[in-house]
Amino acid sequence: MLTRRFTSFSAIVAGAALLCTAMTAQAREYSVSTVLSDAFPWGQAAQKWAELVEERSDGRITLRVYPNSQLVAGDQTREFSAMRSGLIDMALGSTINWSPQVPQLNLFSLPFLMPDDAAVDAITGGKAGEMIFEAIEARGVVPLAWGENGFRELSNSKLPVDSPEDLAGLKIRVVGSPLFNDTFTALGANPTQMSWADAKPALTTGAVDGQENPIAIFDVARIDQVGQKYLTLWHYMNDPLIFAVNQQVWQTLPQEDRELLRETAIEAGQWEIEMSRAQEDERLAAIRERGVEVIELTDEQRQAFVEATQSVYDTWTPQIGEELVEVARQAVENR
């Protein structure tokens, strides 16, 4: 009798151990890279994705968010390559930062292509968006959904800018993309590429006169505190964000987990887009209250900038893809 009881007890212990092993084997943790922390909508979107995945997988899947480009030692332009090679499992990344590896993403940096939110949505939600996702997947990364970093607006410490002539000679900090250099050179400015860590001291000392960033970043990072007294709302380009997964990681996942990651990415992206757009008026009001002069362009004033930067299209359309640029143009016109 004692032997049978011991055998039964052993079987129970063994069964429990097997169950724990199975549960442990099913539980997975993945790294998610993002450039900004959850003080910004960008970082909040990554966190939202992680929360939705943990909730709907009952804790079986954990997305560990690493903000501030920690996984690439602060070099955000290496994020896509690191994800493609498997050093990063997933990311919520910027079209600007990924464009060195995916030339088609330069579409969003073409100056004055997208005049409003409807134009952005027409591109990301249509054939052009599908073509871009195909280009990303062809390079070893699986794109899942769109988010939004927003329209990049121009600020400076010298004067209100409402015409291309106002930019003549201004030293403008830009991100590390040749397309941005070409755009500001066409406008008569003096573009200077530097990291954001270097940009804030340069703005403070006057080594550079201005910069360009979305309203949310201008507000949260308090760019007005480094001498930026004039803010021009010119919507010269938009920087959509992309939720994505390393292709090898994706291939190891069962179909139900793939669907879970995609559905939650879409939901987190839509949540962040709606939140970002809803907050813009409030952010602008706060920026004005801090003494910044906000310049809003008329259609005629904006058109002058459009005409001044047409040469950029001649240079960059062949690199991006003529078909893709034309499909995007048509989507904007028909929005």
Side-chain angles (χ1 to χ4, degrees), residues 69-114:
S69 304
Q70 293 177 50
L71 300 179
V72 285
D75 185 354
Q76 54 206 55
T77 61
R78 289 181 48 228
E79 185 177 68
F80 186 88
S81 296
M83 179 167 47
R84 180 174 57 189
S85 67
L87 294 175
I88 294 171
D89 297 322
M90 306 180 190
L92 174 54
S94 153
T95 58
I96 298 171
N97 292 338
W98 292 3
S99 63
Q101 291 80 40
V102 188
Q104 291 86 345
L105 292 175
N106 284 299
L107 173 75
F108 296 102
S109 297
L110 285 174
F112 305 102
L113 172 65
M114 299 162 286

Side-chain angles (χ1 to χ4, degrees), residues 4-62:
R4 282 201 300 271
R5 286 179 179 175
F6 180 77
T7 302
S8 298
F9 177 74
S10 298
I12 291 170
V13 170
L18 287 171
L19 179 60
C20 289
T21 300
M23 290 177 67
T24 302
Q26 289 180 350
R28 297 184 178 93
E29 179 174 308
Y30 300 99
S31 60
V32 179
S33 175
T34 190
V35 169
L36 295 179
S37 72
D38 59 8
F40 301 85
W42 186 341
Q44 291 164 16
Q47 198 59 48
K48 181 73 168 179
W49 189 25
E51 290 169 1
L52 289 173
V53 168
E54 182 162 10
E55 174 188 334
R56 295 183 190 172
S57 69
D58 294 323
R60 185 171 49 83
I61 302 175
T62 298

Side-chain angles (χ1 to χ4, degrees), residues 244-297:
V245 182
N246 165 274
Q247 198 169 69
Q248 292 179 331
V249 169
W250 186 254
Q251 289 170 350
T252 66
L253 296 171
Q255 186 61 33
E256 63 176 329
D257 288 351
R258 294 181 187 182
E259 292 174 1
L260 173 65
L261 285 170
R262 191 185 302 275
E263 289 170 2
T264 51
I266 291 170
E267 184 173 334
Q270 192 58 43
W271 171 83
E272 187 255 350
I273 290 170
E274 292 174 0
M275 175 188 65
S276 297
R277 294 177 183 179
Q279 291 176 345
E280 187 157 304
D281 286 344
E282 181 181 341
R283 291 190 185 281
L284 282 171
I287 289 168
R288 284 187 172 100
E289 287 177 6
R290 297 199 296 266
V292 176
E293 181 177 340
V294 178
I295 299 95
E296 300 188 56
L297 302 181

Side-chain angles (χ1 to χ4, degrees), residues 12 21 80 91 102 131 135 185 190 220 241 250 263 291 317 329 332:
I12 291 170
T21 300
F80 186 88
V102 188
M131 293 169 71
T185 299
N190 180 11
V220 177
L241 304 176
W250 186 254
E263 289 170 2
T317 294
R329 283 184 188 272
V332 172

Side-chain angles (χ1 to χ4, degrees), residues 231-243:
L231 176 64
T232 299
L233 306 182
W234 63 344
H235 278 30
Y236 91 110
M237 60 84 60
N238 191 289
D239 182 25
L241 304 176
I242 300 172
F243 295 78

